[in-house]
Amino acid sequence: MYLSLYNVLALLLVVAALFGYVNHRFLRLPSTIGLMVLALVSSVGLVVLGRFEIVNVSNIINAIKQIDFQTILMQVMLSFLLFAGAIHVDAQKLGQQRVPVFTMATVGMLLSTCLVGSMLYWLLPQFGLSLPFMWCLLFGSLISPTDPIAVLGILKEARIPKQLEISIVGESLFNDGVAVVVFVSLAQFATTTGEAAPEGHSIGTLFLQEAVGGLVLGAVLGYVGYRMLRSIDNYQVEVLITLALVTGGTALATALHTSGPLAIVVAGLIIGQQGRQLGMSDTTREYVDKFWEMLDEILNAILFVLIGFEILVLRFETVYLLVGLCTIVIVLLARLIAVALPLRLLNLRRSFPQHAVKVLTWGGLRGGISVALALSLPDGEARELLVAVTYVVVVFSIIVQGLSIGPLVKRLGLSVAPSETEPLQH
């Protein structure tokens, strides 16, 4: 059963619209969670119906297999989603939290990578499995970053104090780019052997080129975009400029071998701060906001439906599921240490409300980026294991952590009125 690109897109949009209606009409869950839950339930239902030969599931599975999740997310959707999130973050308030945000997005991410990799390397033999230590570190790098798409979608529903929300959102925007760079660097070690293995200095050079190059490129793109927006007053053209900034900036970052996600986040923050305040009229600001909010909602809907349906094409052995359940604990423990330790060493904990570490730990959601990175691994048993474990962690993170972060904040006495959360965004 072959589906053209148009038919695949049409199918995803129809399913996302249907699930969105059902969720809004009956379930009333946060949009991202509701869509993924419905897709998961539908996937399980299709498998059950297929077992009783009521539905020919093989055709549906073949159709899902035609969708290149990794390419769609990492090369098409990610930049739009990051820009849509970044332009609505108050860069000035984010700047006030720059030390904890930078610390968690870099030191915390690297610490979590090492902790998860080491604990997974110890855990696997307990189930009769084994992986090279470098592959365990590779898993640590793909599962450690908090996902900005999941975070931004779910935190809208949780009444978290704006200081904590800024820290979580800011970290998720930046550690995504850092994680991709770390993942690519480690992948060169994990997937090559012998004389072909890269040297340490080449990995360091790659890291600097990707990370620093992405930040510099993003600053240049943001400034150029801001100057263009300021020089005209035509909302159609200005919306088009922001769209071109994302698409052209991503393509340029790829050509220059720099981090596209980091470049787009920085550009989005500049456009969201300088561009919105000094370069746009009220009319243009309204149209730009509505355009990117609508695009963000549509892409989020498609993404979480895809995550839910991905279960149809994954291979789940019982032992993989058990390892995945144990890995949930490992990832949460590593997250706790990666948040608490750097903040304590830098004496930053006193700048946060009480119980902040608990909220930062539980609110660090994993999402589609982790799944996409896992799916980019080369075929083999190691990939099957890591993809399955990643999927278990991500589903738990989005559904269980996502649904409980609001009640947790309320129980800890940190919940604030809706009006008090508004300063995060413009």
Short mmCIF file of all heavy atoms in Angstrom, two decimals, residues 78-142:
data_model
loop_
_atom_site.label_atom_id
_atom_site.label_comp_id
_atom_site.label_asym_id
_atom_site.label_seq_id
_atom_site.Cartn_x
_atom_site.Cartn_y
_atom_site.Cartn_z
N LEU A 78 11.11 20.66 13.23
CA LEU A 78 11.76 21.14 14.45
C LEU A 78 12.04 22.64 14.42
O LEU A 78 11.77 23.35 15.40
CB LEU A 78 13.07 20.37 14.67
CG LEU A 78 13.85 20.75 15.93
CD1 LEU A 78 13.01 20.55 17.18
CD2 LEU A 78 15.14 19.94 16.02
N SER A 79 12.57 23.14 13.34
CA SER A 79 12.90 24.56 13.27
C SER A 79 11.67 25.44 13.42
O SER A 79 11.71 26.47 14.12
CB SER A 79 13.60 24.87 11.94
OG SER A 79 14.85 24.22 11.87
N PHE A 80 10.57 25.07 12.79
CA PHE A 80 9.33 25.84 12.92
C PHE A 80 8.83 25.83 14.36
O PHE A 80 8.40 26.86 14.88
CB PHE A 80 8.26 25.26 11.99
CG PHE A 80 8.57 25.43 10.53
CD1 PHE A 80 9.10 24.38 9.80
CD2 PHE A 80 8.34 26.63 9.88
CE1 PHE A 80 9.40 24.52 8.45
CE2 PHE A 80 8.63 26.80 8.54
CZ PHE A 80 9.16 25.73 7.81
N LEU A 81 8.88 24.67 15.00
CA LEU A 81 8.40 24.55 16.38
C LEU A 81 9.28 25.32 17.36
O LEU A 81 8.79 25.97 18.28
CB LEU A 81 8.33 23.08 16.77
CG LEU A 81 7.24 22.26 16.06
CD1 LEU A 81 7.48 20.77 16.23
CD2 LEU A 81 5.86 22.63 16.59
N LEU A 82 10.60 25.26 17.14
CA LEU A 82 11.52 26.01 18.02
C LEU A 82 11.33 27.51 17.86
O LEU A 82 11.32 28.26 18.84
CB LEU A 82 12.97 25.62 17.70
CG LEU A 82 13.41 24.23 18.12
CD1 LEU A 82 14.83 23.96 17.64
CD2 LEU A 82 13.32 24.05 19.63
N PHE A 83 11.19 27.98 16.62
CA PHE A 83 11.00 29.42 16.37
C PHE A 83 9.69 29.89 16.97
O PHE A 83 9.62 30.95 17.61
CB PHE A 83 11.04 29.70 14.88
CG PHE A 83 11.03 31.17 14.53
CD1 PHE A 83 12.21 31.89 14.53
CD2 PHE A 83 9.84 31.81 14.21
CE1 PHE A 83 12.20 33.25 14.22
CE2 PHE A 83 9.83 33.17 13.89
CZ PHE A 83 11.01 33.88 13.90
N ALA A 84 8.63 29.09 16.79
CA ALA A 84 7.32 29.46 17.33
C ALA A 84 7.37 29.57 18.85
O ALA A 84 6.70 30.44 19.44
CB ALA A 84 6.27 28.41 16.91
N GLY A 85 8.15 28.70 19.49
CA GLY A 85 8.30 28.79 20.93
C GLY A 85 9.17 29.95 21.35
O GLY A 85 8.85 30.68 22.31
N ALA A 86 10.27 30.17 20.63
CA ALA A 86 11.25 31.18 21.03
C ALA A 86 10.71 32.60 20.91
O ALA A 86 11.01 33.46 21.74
CB ALA A 86 12.52 31.03 20.19
N ILE A 87 9.91 32.89 19.87
CA ILE A 87 9.46 34.28 19.68
C ILE A 87 8.46 34.71 20.76
O ILE A 87 8.23 35.91 20.93
CB ILE A 87 8.84 34.51 18.28
CG1 ILE A 87 7.58 33.65 18.09
CG2 ILE A 87 9.85 34.28 17.18
CD1 ILE A 87 6.81 34.01 16.83
N HIS A 88 7.89 33.75 21.48
CA HIS A 88 6.94 34.11 22.51
C HIS A 88 7.53 34.05 23.92
O HIS A 88 6.81 34.21 24.91
CB HIS A 88 5.70 33.21 22.42
CG HIS A 88 4.87 33.45 21.21
ND1 HIS A 88 4.76 32.55 20.18
CD2 HIS A 88 4.15 34.53 20.85
CE1 HIS A 88 3.99 33.05 19.24
NE2 HIS A 88 3.60 34.24 19.62
N VAL A 89 8.82 33.82 24.01
CA VAL A 89 9.50 33.84 25.30
C VAL A 89 10.09 35.22 25.53
O VAL A 89 10.71 35.79 24.62
CB VAL A 89 10.62 32.78 25.35
CG1 VAL A 89 11.44 32.92 26.63
CG2 VAL A 89 10.03 31.38 25.27
N ASP A 90 9.86 35.76 26.69
CA ASP A 90 10.41 37.08 27.03
C ASP A 90 11.92 36.94 27.22
O ASP A 90 12.39 36.43 28.24
CB ASP A 90 9.76 37.60 28.31
CG ASP A 90 10.08 39.07 28.57
OD1 ASP A 90 11.21 39.48 28.24
OD2 ASP A 90 9.21 39.78 29.09
N ALA A 91 12.68 37.39 26.23
CA ALA A 91 14.14 37.23 26.25
C ALA A 91 14.77 37.98 27.42
O ALA A 91 15.80 37.57 27.95
CB ALA A 91 14.74 37.70 24.93
N GLN A 92 14.15 39.09 27.82
CA GLN A 92 14.71 39.86 28.94
C GLN A 92 14.62 39.07 30.24
O GLN A 92 15.59 38.99 31.00
CB GLN A 92 13.96 41.19 29.08
CG GLN A 92 14.59 42.13 30.09
CD GLN A 92 13.93 43.50 30.07
OE1 GLN A 92 12.84 43.66 29.52
NE2 GLN A 92 14.57 44.48 30.67
N LYS A 93 13.48 38.45 30.48
CA LYS A 93 13.32 37.63 31.69
C LYS A 93 14.16 36.36 31.59
O LYS A 93 14.69 35.87 32.60
CB LYS A 93 11.85 37.30 31.91
CG LYS A 93 11.02 38.48 32.38
CD LYS A 93 9.61 38.07 32.69
CE LYS A 93 8.85 39.20 33.39
NZ LYS A 93 8.77 40.42 32.56
N LEU A 94 14.28 35.83 30.38
CA LEU A 94 15.14 34.67 30.19
C LEU A 94 16.59 35.04 30.48
O LEU A 94 17.34 34.24 31.06
CB LEU A 94 15.01 34.14 28.75
CG LEU A 94 15.84 32.91 28.38
CD1 LEU A 94 15.49 31.73 29.28
CD2 LEU A 94 15.64 32.55 26.92
N GLY A 95 16.99 36.24 30.11
CA GLY A 95 18.34 36.70 30.39
C GLY A 95 18.63 36.78 31.88
O GLY A 95 19.76 36.54 32.32
N GLN A 96 17.60 37.11 32.67
CA GLN A 96 17.78 37.16 34.11
C GLN A 96 18.03 35.77 34.70
O GLN A 96 18.60 35.64 35.77
CB GLN A 96 16.54 37.79 34.75
CG GLN A 96 16.31 39.24 34.37
CD GLN A 96 14.96 39.77 34.84
OE1 GLN A 96 14.18 39.05 35.47
NE2 GLN A 96 14.68 41.04 34.53
N GLN A 97 17.60 34.74 33.99
CA GLN A 97 17.80 33.36 34.43
C GLN A 97 18.89 32.66 33.61
O GLN A 97 18.96 31.43 33.57
CB GLN A 97 16.48 32.58 34.27
CG GLN A 97 15.35 33.07 35.13
CD GLN A 97 15.62 32.82 36.61
OE1 GLN A 97 16.16 31.80 36.98
NE2 GLN A 97 15.23 33.79 37.44
N ARG A 98 19.76 33.47 32.97
CA ARG A 98 20.72 32.89 32.02
C ARG A 98 21.70 31.92 32.68
O ARG A 98 22.10 30.93 32.06
CB ARG A 98 21.50 34.00 31.31
CG ARG A 98 22.32 34.90 32.22
CD ARG A 98 22.95 36.05 31.44
NE ARG A 98 23.72 36.94 32.30
CZ ARG A 98 23.19 37.94 32.98
NH1 ARG A 98 21.88 38.16 32.94
NH2 ARG A 98 23.95 38.71 33.73
N VAL A 99 22.09 32.17 33.93
CA VAL A 99 23.08 31.28 34.57
C VAL A 99 22.48 29.90 34.82
O VAL A 99 23.05 28.89 34.40
CB VAL A 99 23.64 31.91 35.86
CG1 VAL A 99 24.58 30.93 36.55
CG2 VAL A 99 24.37 33.20 35.54
N PRO A 100 21.31 29.79 35.53
CA PRO A 100 20.76 28.45 35.70
C PRO A 100 20.34 27.79 34.39
O PRO A 100 20.50 26.58 34.23
CB PRO A 100 19.54 28.68 36.62
CG PRO A 100 19.24 30.13 36.52
CD PRO A 100 20.53 30.81 36.26
N VAL A 101 19.83 28.57 33.45
CA VAL A 101 19.43 28.00 32.15
C VAL A 101 20.64 27.45 31.42
O VAL A 101 20.63 26.31 30.92
CB VAL A 101 18.70 29.06 31.29
CG1 VAL A 101 18.58 28.58 29.83
CG2 VAL A 101 17.31 29.35 31.85
N PHE A 102 21.70 28.24 31.34
CA PHE A 102 22.92 27.79 30.65
C PHE A 102 23.52 26.59 31.36
O PHE A 102 23.98 25.64 30.72
CB PHE A 102 23.94 28.94 30.61
CG PHE A 102 25.26 28.55 30.01
CD1 PHE A 102 25.42 28.46 28.63
CD2 PHE A 102 26.35 28.23 30.83
CE1 PHE A 102 26.63 28.10 28.08
CE2 PHE A 102 27.56 27.85 30.28
CZ PHE A 102 27.71 27.79 28.89
N THR A 103 23.51 26.63 32.69
CA THR A 103 24.09 25.52 33.47
C THR A 103 23.35 24.22 33.21
O THR A 103 23.96 23.17 32.96
CB THR A 103 24.06 25.85 34.97
OG1 THR A 103 24.78 27.05 35.21
CG2 THR A 103 24.70 24.72 35.78
N MET A 104 22.01 24.26 33.27
CA MET A 104 21.23 23.04 33.07
C MET A 104 21.28 22.56 31.63
O MET A 104 21.25 21.36 31.36
CB MET A 104 19.78 23.26 33.51
CG MET A 104 19.61 23.42 35.01
SD MET A 104 17.88 23.47 35.55
CE MET A 104 17.34 25.01 34.83
N ALA A 105 21.36 23.50 30.68
CA ALA A 105 21.37 23.12 29.26
C ALA A 105 22.71 22.57 28.80
O ALA A 105 22.77 21.90 27.77
CB ALA A 105 20.99 24.33 28.40
N THR A 106 23.77 22.83 29.55
CA THR A 106 25.10 22.35 29.14
C THR A 106 25.66 21.36 30.16
O THR A 106 25.70 20.16 29.90
CB THR A 106 26.06 23.54 28.97
OG1 THR A 106 26.07 24.33 30.17
CG2 THR A 106 25.65 24.41 27.80
N VAL A 107 26.07 21.87 31.32
CA VAL A 107 26.65 21.01 32.35
C VAL A 107 25.64 19.93 32.78
O VAL A 107 25.97 18.75 32.87
CB VAL A 107 27.08 21.84 33.58
CG1 VAL A 107 27.62 20.92 34.68
CG2 VAL A 107 28.14 22.86 33.18
N GLY A 108 24.39 20.34 33.00
CA GLY A 108 23.37 19.39 33.42
C GLY A 108 23.11 18.33 32.37
O GLY A 108 22.97 17.14 32.68
N MET A 109 23.06 18.76 31.09
CA MET A 109 22.81 17.81 30.01
C MET A 109 23.95 16.81 29.88
O MET A 109 23.74 15.59 29.73
CB MET A 109 22.66 18.58 28.69
CG MET A 109 21.58 18.05 27.75
SD MET A 109 21.97 16.47 26.99
CE MET A 109 23.42 16.88 26.03
N LEU A 110 25.19 17.28 29.97
CA LEU A 110 26.36 16.40 29.87
C LEU A 110 26.44 15.46 31.07
O LEU A 110 26.77 14.28 30.92
CB LEU A 110 27.63 17.24 29.76
CG LEU A 110 27.79 18.05 28.46
CD1 LEU A 110 28.99 18.98 28.56
CD2 LEU A 110 27.93 17.13 27.26
N LEU A 111 26.14 15.98 32.26
CA LEU A 111 26.15 15.15 33.46
C LEU A 111 25.09 14.06 33.37
O LEU A 111 25.35 12.88 33.69
CB LEU A 111 25.91 16.02 34.70
CG LEU A 111 25.91 15.31 36.06
CD1 LEU A 111 27.21 14.57 36.29
CD2 LEU A 111 25.65 16.32 37.18
N SER A 112 23.90 14.42 32.90
CA SER A 112 22.84 13.44 32.73
C SER A 112 23.22 12.37 31.71
O SER A 112 22.94 11.18 31.90
CB SER A 112 21.54 14.14 32.31
OG SER A 112 20.52 13.20 32.05
N THR A 113 23.87 12.79 30.63
CA THR A 113 24.32 11.84 29.60
C THR A 113 25.24 10.79 30.20
O THR A 113 25.07 9.59 29.97
CB THR A 113 25.05 12.59 28.47
OG1 THR A 113 24.13 13.46 27.81
CG2 THR A 113 25.64 11.61 27.45
N CYS A 114 26.19 11.23 31.00
CA CYS A 114 27.14 10.29 31.61
C CYS A 114 26.46 9.39 32.63
O CYS A 114 26.74 8.18 32.69
CB CYS A 114 28.29 11.07 32.27
SG CYS A 114 29.32 11.98 31.12
N LEU A 115 25.57 9.95 33.45
CA LEU A 115 24.89 9.17 34.48
C LEU A 115 23.98 8.11 33.86
O LEU A 115 24.00 6.95 34.25
CB LEU A 115 24.08 10.09 35.38
CG LEU A 115 24.88 11.00 36.33
CD1 LEU A 115 23.96 12.00 37.01
CD2 LEU A 115 25.63 10.16 37.37
N VAL A 116 23.16 8.53 32.88
CA VAL A 116 22.25 7.58 32.23
C VAL A 116 23.03 6.49 31.52
O VAL A 116 22.72 5.29 31.63
CB VAL A 116 21.31 8.31 31.24
CG1 VAL A 116 20.50 7.29 30.43
CG2 VAL A 116 20.36 9.24 31.98
N GLY A 117 24.07 6.88 30.78
CA GLY A 117 24.88 5.91 30.06
C GLY A 117 25.53 4.90 30.99
O GLY A 117 25.51 3.69 30.72
N SER A 118 26.07 5.37 32.10
CA SER A 118 26.75 4.48 33.05
C SER A 118 25.76 3.53 33.71
O SER A 118 26.02 2.33 33.86
CB SER A 118 27.48 5.30 34.11
OG SER A 118 28.45 6.14 33.52
N MET A 119 24.61 4.05 34.13
CA MET A 119 23.63 3.20 34.81
C MET A 119 23.00 2.20 33.85
O MET A 119 22.69 1.07 34.23
CB MET A 119 22.56 4.08 35.48
CG MET A 119 23.07 4.79 36.74
SD MET A 119 21.76 5.64 37.69
CE MET A 119 21.59 7.15 36.74
N LEU A 120 22.78 2.60 32.59
CA LEU A 120 22.24 1.66 31.61
C LEU A 120 23.24 0.54 31.32
O LEU A 120 22.87 -0.63 31.17
CB LEU A 120 21.88 2.39 30.31
CG LEU A 120 21.28 1.52 29.21
CD1 LEU A 120 19.90 1.01 29.63
CD2 LEU A 120 21.18 2.28 27.89
N TYR A 121 24.53 0.91 31.27
CA TYR A 121 25.58 -0.08 31.03
C TYR A 121 25.60 -1.13 32.15
O TYR A 121 25.85 -2.32 31.91
CB TYR A 121 26.93 0.63 30.95
CG TYR A 121 28.09 -0.26 30.58
CD1 TYR A 121 28.22 -0.77 29.30
CD2 TYR A 121 29.07 -0.58 31.52
CE1 TYR A 121 29.28 -1.59 28.95
CE2 TYR A 121 30.13 -1.40 31.18
CZ TYR A 121 30.24 -1.89 29.90
OH TYR A 121 31.29 -2.72 29.55
N TRP A 122 25.30 -0.69 33.39
CA TRP A 122 25.20 -1.62 34.51
C TRP A 122 23.90 -2.42 34.47
O TRP A 122 23.86 -3.60 34.81
CB TRP A 122 25.29 -0.85 35.83
CG TRP A 122 24.93 -1.69 37.01
CD1 TRP A 122 25.75 -2.52 37.73
CD2 TRP A 122 23.63 -1.81 37.63
NE1 TRP A 122 25.04 -3.15 38.73
CE2 TRP A 122 23.75 -2.74 38.69
CE3 TRP A 122 22.39 -1.23 37.37
CZ2 TRP A 122 22.67 -3.07 39.50
CZ3 TRP A 122 21.32 -1.57 38.17
CH2 TRP A 122 21.46 -2.48 39.22
N LEU A 123 22.81 -1.77 34.03
CA LEU A 123 21.48 -2.40 34.07
C LEU A 123 21.33 -3.53 33.06
O LEU A 123 20.76 -4.59 33.40
CB LEU A 123 20.40 -1.34 33.82
CG LEU A 123 18.96 -1.85 33.69
CD1 LEU A 123 18.45 -2.36 35.04
CD2 LEU A 123 18.04 -0.74 33.16
N LEU A 124 21.79 -3.35 31.84
CA LEU A 124 21.52 -4.30 30.76
C LEU A 124 21.94 -5.73 31.08
O LEU A 124 21.18 -6.67 30.81
CB LEU A 124 22.17 -3.82 29.47
CG LEU A 124 21.54 -2.57 28.83
CD1 LEU A 124 22.32 -2.14 27.60
CD2 LEU A 124 20.08 -2.82 28.47
N PRO A 125 23.13 -5.97 31.66
CA PRO A 125 23.50 -7.36 31.98
C PRO A 125 22.55 -8.04 32.98
O PRO A 125 22.46 -9.27 33.00
CB PRO A 125 24.91 -7.22 32.60
CG PRO A 125 25.44 -5.97 32.00
CD PRO A 125 24.26 -5.05 31.89
N GLN A 126 21.83 -7.24 33.78
CA GLN A 126 20.87 -7.82 34.72
C GLN A 126 19.71 -8.49 33.99
O GLN A 126 19.00 -9.33 34.56
CB GLN A 126 20.32 -6.74 35.68
CG GLN A 126 21.35 -5.79 36.24
CD GLN A 126 22.50 -6.48 36.94
OE1 GLN A 126 22.28 -7.43 37.69
NE2 GLN A 126 23.73 -6.02 36.70
N PHE A 127 19.51 -8.12 32.72
CA PHE A 127 18.45 -8.70 31.90
C PHE A 127 19.02 -9.58 30.78
O PHE A 127 18.32 -9.91 29.83
CB PHE A 127 17.59 -7.59 31.29
CG PHE A 127 16.75 -6.85 32.29
CD1 PHE A 127 17.25 -5.70 32.90
CD2 PHE A 127 15.49 -7.30 32.63
CE1 PHE A 127 16.49 -5.01 33.82
CE2 PHE A 127 14.72 -6.62 33.57
CZ PHE A 127 15.21 -5.47 34.16
N GLY A 128 20.30 -9.93 30.90
CA GLY A 128 20.92 -10.77 29.88
C GLY A 128 21.21 -10.05 28.59
O GLY A 128 21.37 -10.69 27.53
N LEU A 129 21.29 -8.73 28.63
CA LEU A 129 21.58 -7.93 27.44
C LEU A 129 22.90 -7.20 27.64
O LEU A 129 23.40 -7.07 28.76
CB LEU A 129 20.47 -6.90 27.20
CG LEU A 129 19.06 -7.45 27.00
CD1 LEU A 129 18.04 -6.31 27.00
CD2 LEU A 129 18.97 -8.23 25.69
N SER A 130 23.46 -6.71 26.55
CA SER A 130 24.69 -5.93 26.67
C SER A 130 24.82 -4.99 25.48
O SER A 130 24.34 -5.27 24.39
CB SER A 130 25.92 -6.86 26.73
OG SER A 130 26.08 -7.55 25.51
N LEU A 131 25.46 -3.86 25.76
CA LEU A 131 25.78 -2.89 24.73
C LEU A 131 27.15 -2.30 25.05
O LEU A 131 27.51 -2.19 26.23
CB LEU A 131 24.75 -1.75 24.71
CG LEU A 131 23.42 -1.95 23.96
CD1 LEU A 131 22.58 -0.69 24.09
CD2 LEU A 131 23.65 -2.28 22.50
N PRO A 132 27.91 -1.91 24.04
CA PRO A 132 29.16 -1.21 24.33
C PRO A 132 28.88 0.07 25.12
O PRO A 132 27.82 0.68 24.97
CB PRO A 132 29.71 -0.88 22.93
CG PRO A 132 29.07 -1.90 22.03
CD PRO A 132 27.72 -2.15 22.61
N PHE A 133 29.82 0.45 25.96
CA PHE A 133 29.63 1.62 26.81
C PHE A 133 29.35 2.88 25.98
O PHE A 133 28.52 3.72 26.38
CB PHE A 133 30.87 1.84 27.68
CG PHE A 133 30.73 3.00 28.63
CD1 PHE A 133 29.82 2.97 29.68
CD2 PHE A 133 31.50 4.14 28.47
CE1 PHE A 133 29.68 4.04 30.55
CE2 PHE A 133 31.38 5.22 29.34
CZ PHE A 133 30.47 5.17 30.38
N MET A 134 29.98 3.01 24.82
CA MET A 134 29.77 4.19 23.99
C MET A 134 28.32 4.27 23.49
O MET A 134 27.74 5.35 23.37
CB MET A 134 30.74 4.20 22.81
CG MET A 134 30.79 5.51 22.05
SD MET A 134 31.17 6.95 23.09
CE MET A 134 32.85 6.54 23.59
N TRP A 135 27.72 3.10 23.22
CA TRP A 135 26.33 3.09 22.80
C TRP A 135 25.41 3.48 23.97
O TRP A 135 24.38 4.13 23.76
CB TRP A 135 25.94 1.71 22.27
CG TRP A 135 26.33 1.51 20.84
CD1 TRP A 135 27.54 1.13 20.37
CD2 TRP A 135 25.49 1.71 19.70
NE1 TRP A 135 27.53 1.07 18.99
CE2 TRP A 135 26.28 1.41 18.56
CE3 TRP A 135 24.16 2.07 19.51
CZ2 TRP A 135 25.77 1.50 17.26
CZ3 TRP A 135 23.66 2.16 18.23
CH2 TRP A 135 24.46 1.88 17.12
N CYS A 136 25.78 3.10 25.17
CA CYS A 136 25.00 3.50 26.34
C CYS A 136 25.08 5.02 26.54
O CYS A 136 24.09 5.67 26.87
CB CYS A 136 25.49 2.77 27.59
SG CYS A 136 25.19 0.99 27.55
N LEU A 137 26.27 5.57 26.34
CA LEU A 137 26.42 7.03 26.40
C LEU A 137 25.61 7.71 25.31
O LEU A 137 25.02 8.79 25.52
CB LEU A 137 27.89 7.43 26.26
CG LEU A 137 28.78 7.29 27.50
CD1 LEU A 137 30.19 7.74 27.16
CD2 LEU A 137 28.23 8.09 28.68
N LEU A 138 25.56 7.09 24.14
CA LEU A 138 24.78 7.63 23.03
C LEU A 138 23.31 7.70 23.41
O LEU A 138 22.63 8.69 23.14
CB LEU A 138 24.98 6.74 21.79
CG LEU A 138 24.51 7.30 20.44
CD1 LEU A 138 25.25 8.59 20.11
CD2 LEU A 138 24.73 6.27 19.35
N PHE A 139 22.83 6.65 24.06
CA PHE A 139 21.46 6.68 24.55
C PHE A 139 21.28 7.79 25.58
O PHE A 139 20.27 8.50 25.58
CB PHE A 139 21.08 5.33 25.18
CG PHE A 139 19.73 5.35 25.85
CD1 PHE A 139 18.57 5.28 25.10
CD2 PHE A 139 19.64 5.46 27.24
CE1 PHE A 139 17.32 5.32 25.72
CE2 PHE A 139 18.40 5.49 27.86
CZ PHE A 139 17.24 5.43 27.10
N GLY A 140 22.26 7.94 26.47
CA GLY A 140 22.19 9.01 27.46
C GLY A 140 22.05 10.38 26.83
O GLY A 140 21.31 11.23 27.31
N SER A 141 22.75 10.59 25.71
CA SER A 141 22.71 11.90 25.05
C SER A 141 21.37 12.17 24.37
O SER A 141 20.93 13.31 24.27
CB SER A 141 23.84 12.00 24.01
OG SER A 141 23.61 11.15 22.90
N LEU A 142 20.71 11.11 23.89
CA LEU A 142 19.44 11.33 23.20
C LEU A 142 18.25 11.40 24.14
O LEU A 142 17.21 11.99 23.81
CB LEU A 142 19.22 10.25 22.12
CG LEU A 142 18.94 8.80 22.54
CD1 LEU A 142 17.46 8.57 22.77
CD2 LEU A 142 19.45 7.84 21.46
#
